Amino acid sequence: MTEERDGQVNASKTSGESVVVVGLGYVGLPLLVEMVRAGHRVIGLDRSAAVVDSLNAGRSHIDDVGDATIAEILAAGFRSTVDAACIAEADTVVVCVPTPLSRDGAPDLGAVEGVGRMLGERLTSDTLVVLESTTYPGTTEEFFQPLVEAGGLRVGENLCLAFSPERVDPGNRVYGIRNTPKVVGGVTTTCTQRAVDFYASFIDTVVSAKGTREAEMAKLLENTYRHINIALVNEMARFSHELGIDLWNVIDCAKTKPFGFQAFYPGPGVGGHCIPIDPNYLSHTVQARLHYPFRFVELAQEVNAGMPNYVARRIQDRLNDDGKAVRGSTVLLLGVTYKANIADERESPAVPLALKLEAMGADVRFHDPYVDVWNAAEHGDPQRLLKGEQNLSSALREADIVVLLQAHREYLDGALDGVGVFDTRGVLAGSEVVRL
C-alpha cells in the first residue's frame, strides 16, 4: 500500500469539478447524468465514435437514460469525445469500462489496462481517479495504480486513487444512482475522503470502506450471494418438479416469515453484466492466489449454467406429452433479454437455450417487445440473426409450444390469457400454464 502523506493532496476540491467519465455504457452514462445535474462540468470519453456521435446528437443508447435526459445534460454543457486529451484538464476521472471474462474464465482486464496506460500518459497533479469497473480484490493497487503512476505522479503525494463498485440495476424504477448507497475505498485515507466528498455531491449516501480491497470485495460478495441463492432455488426447482411439489407456492409460503429469509426465484438461467460474471472473479482469485477452489461459487455456476439445458429438456417433455417431437416443432420464445422490461441482452440465458433447441432440430422463433433483431449465436454471425415476430397473436397460433423466458409487462396484461405457456418465471396463472 502506498504510504500516506496527509495534507499533500487537496481533499476538498469537489464543487463544480471538471470530470471525465471513461466508458459511456450502462454504468458510465447514468452516473454522469447525476454529476451534470449536481453542477459538475462533465466530459464523456469513449472509444466508440458511434456512441460519441449519437450522444452529441442527443440520442441515448441505453434503457435507463432517455433522449430527453441527453438533451437536458447537453444543454447544461455535457459533451462526449473520443479524444483522450481531455484527461489533462480533469479534476476527477471516473473509469467505467467493461471487465468481462476471458475464454479461460479469468478476468479480462484489457480495457482497464488500456485506460490505465492512457491516464499514466495524461494525468496532471492533484487529480482524483476512481475505478468503478468490477474486478478482483487487489486490482486497484496492484494492477491499476502502477499504470496511472507511470507518468511520474504518485498516489498519496500528488494523485488520489480509489475504487467504488458500480451498483447499477438497469430498469429499476425505485433505486437509481442518486438513492443507491455508494461504497468508496481509497488507497490512502486522504484518497478515500476525496472520493467520498466527490460522490457525496450527487449521491445521497456514501459509505467509506477500509480500503480499495474491501470496496472491491464488497461488490463480489453482493453478487456472489445472489448467484448462490439463485442456484439453490434452481436446483430445488428440478427435484421439486420430480417430487410433484409446487416450488413457487413453497417460496410464497416461506417468504411470509418476517425474519431470516429472503425470497429468490428459479428461472431459465442467470444473465446480465454481474451475476454470471462477478462471482467468477472471486473464484479465479482464490484459485490463482491460494490454490484451492471456491466451491460454493463453482457449484453455483454449474447449476445455473445448466438451467438452459434443463429448460430444453422440459420443453421436449411438454412436446412429447402432446405427441410431438422437438425436431420440426416451432418453439416460440417470449422475451430474450436478461431482465424484464429492458432491451439489455448481455449474457441472456435465452442464447444457450436457443442454441440447444436448434441443435435438437426445433424451429426457434422469438418475440420480444424490446428486441427487433436477435443474434442467438451471440458471436456476431450474421447468418444467425433472428428477426422477431411482429404479430404476437399470430406467432402464438403458429407455435407448437410457447415458452415465457422473461416477464415483460407486455406479457402480463392479458395477452397470454388462455394460451398454453411453459412459464419459466412463475408469473402466469391458469389451467393452461405449466411452470418451471
Side-chain angles (χ1 to χ4, degrees), residues 32-51:
L32 69 82
V33 167
E34 296 301 331
M35 295 178 189
V36 173
R37 287 172 172 169
H40 295 298
R41 305 180 304 279
V42 183
I43 296 176
L45 177 62
D46 200 282
R47 66 181 181 179
S48 170
V51 167

Side-chain angles (χ1 to χ4, degrees), residues 327-390:
R327 185 171 299 278
S329 290
T330 299
V331 180
L332 177 64
L333 305 180
L334 300 181
V336 296
T337 60
Y338 93 86
K339 187 179 180 183
N341 306 318
I342 63 173
D344 195 342
E345 302 172 47
R346 287 177 294 174
E347 306 295 329
S348 171
V351 171
L353 173 60
L355 294 179
K356 178 65 175 178
L357 291 170
E358 284 187 345
M360 296 168 72
D363 174 14
V364 178
R365 304 180 186 180
F366 86 95
H367 176 275
D368 193 308
Y370 302 90
V371 180
D372 293 326
V373 178
W374 180 43
N375 183 7
E378 206 179 34
H379 296 299
D381 181 355
Q383 302 302 315
R384 302 299 294 277
L385 293 177
L386 298 179
K387 187 175 181 181
E389 300 292 317
Q390 298 301 305

Side-chain angles (χ1 to χ4, degrees), residues 91-382:
D91 298 316
T92 298
V93 178
V94 181
V95 180
C96 305
V97 295
T99 49
L101 293 177
S102 61
R103 294 197 173 188
D104 64 358
D108 182 354
L109 299 181
V112 172
E113 180 178 6
V115 172
R117 295 187 185 281
M118 176 186 69
L119 296 180
E121 296 171 356
R122 295 173 172 83
L123 285 172
T124 54
S125 183
D126 203 24
T127 301
L128 166 65
V129 178
V130 184
L131 179 63
E132 289 215 3
S133 305
T134 304
T135 185
Y136 58 85
T139 300
T140 303
E141 294 185 34
E142 299 167 17
F143 182 81
F144 195 59
Q145 182 175 337
L147 297 174
V148 301
E149 290 181 331
L153 298 178
R154 292 292 177 264
V155 174
E157 296 180 10
N158 44 24
L159 192 66
C160 278
L161 177 62
F163 181 82
S164 180
E166 60 88 3
R167 283 174 159 176
V168 174
D169 185 18
N172 193 319
R173 297 185 176 186
V174 177
Y175 291 104
I177 296 295
R178 177 170 287 279
N179 66 346
T180 300
K182 199 82 169 82
V183 173
V184 175
V187 175
T188 69
T189 56
T190 299
C191 293
T192 298
Q193 190 58 53
R194 172 85 178 268
V196 166
D197 289 345
F198 169 67
Y199 281 109
S201 68
F202 61 95
I203 292 178
D204 294 341
T205 304
V206 182
V207 180
S208 297
K210 184 177 180 180
T212 60
R213 289 173 177 82
E214 287 75 16
E216 291 162 337
M217 182 71 92
K219 175 61 182 294
L220 299 185
L221 174 60
E222 294 168 12
N223 287 330
T224 299
Y225 167 81
R226 293 182 62 200
H227 188 50
I228 289 172
N229 279 281
I230 291 170
L232 171 65
V233 293
N234 276 338
E235 187 157 31
M236 292 186 74
R238 293 186 178 195
F239 65 70
S240 293
H241 172 67
E242 297 298 326
L243 295 173
I245 298 170
D246 185 342
L247 181 63
W248 303 94
N249 181 248
V250 170
I251 296 170
D252 286 342
C253 292
K255 72 181 183 182
T256 62
K257 184 180 181 181
F259 53 88
F261 180 82
Q262 180 179 354
F264 287 82
Y265 297 90
V270 294
H273 64 298
C274 289
I275 304 303
I277 297 174
D278 296 358
N280 291 289
Y281 295 146
L282 192 52
S283 179
H284 180 271
T285 300
V286 171
Q287 182 64 57
R289 297 193 176 194
L290 303 179
H291 308 295
Y292 56 78
F294 189 176
R295 288 181 291 176
F296 268 116
V297 167
E298 294 177 7
L299 181 58
Q301 181 66 20
E302 178 184 337
V303 171
N304 288 333
M307 287 305 292
N309 280 348
Y310 173 71
V311 171
R313 290 197 300 272
R314 290 286 303 277
I315 291 170
Q316 183 179 37
D317 291 343
R318 292 294 303 160
L319 288 168
N320 286 342
D321 290 343
D322 292 335
K324 300 176 182 179
V326 174
R327 185 171 299 278
S329 290
T330 299
V331 180
L332 177 64
L333 305 180
L334 300 181
V336 296
T337 60
Y338 93 86
K339 187 179 180 183
N341 306 318
I342 63 173
D344 195 342
E345 302 172 47
R346 287 177 294 174
E347 306 295 329
S348 171
V351 171
L353 173 60
L355 294 179
K356 178 65 175 178
L357 291 170
E358 284 187 345
M360 296 168 72
D363 174 14
V364 178
R365 304 180 186 180
F366 86 95
H367 176 275
D368 193 308
Y370 302 90
V371 180
D372 293 326
V373 178
W374 180 43
N375 183 7
E378 206 179 34
H379 296 299
D381 181 355

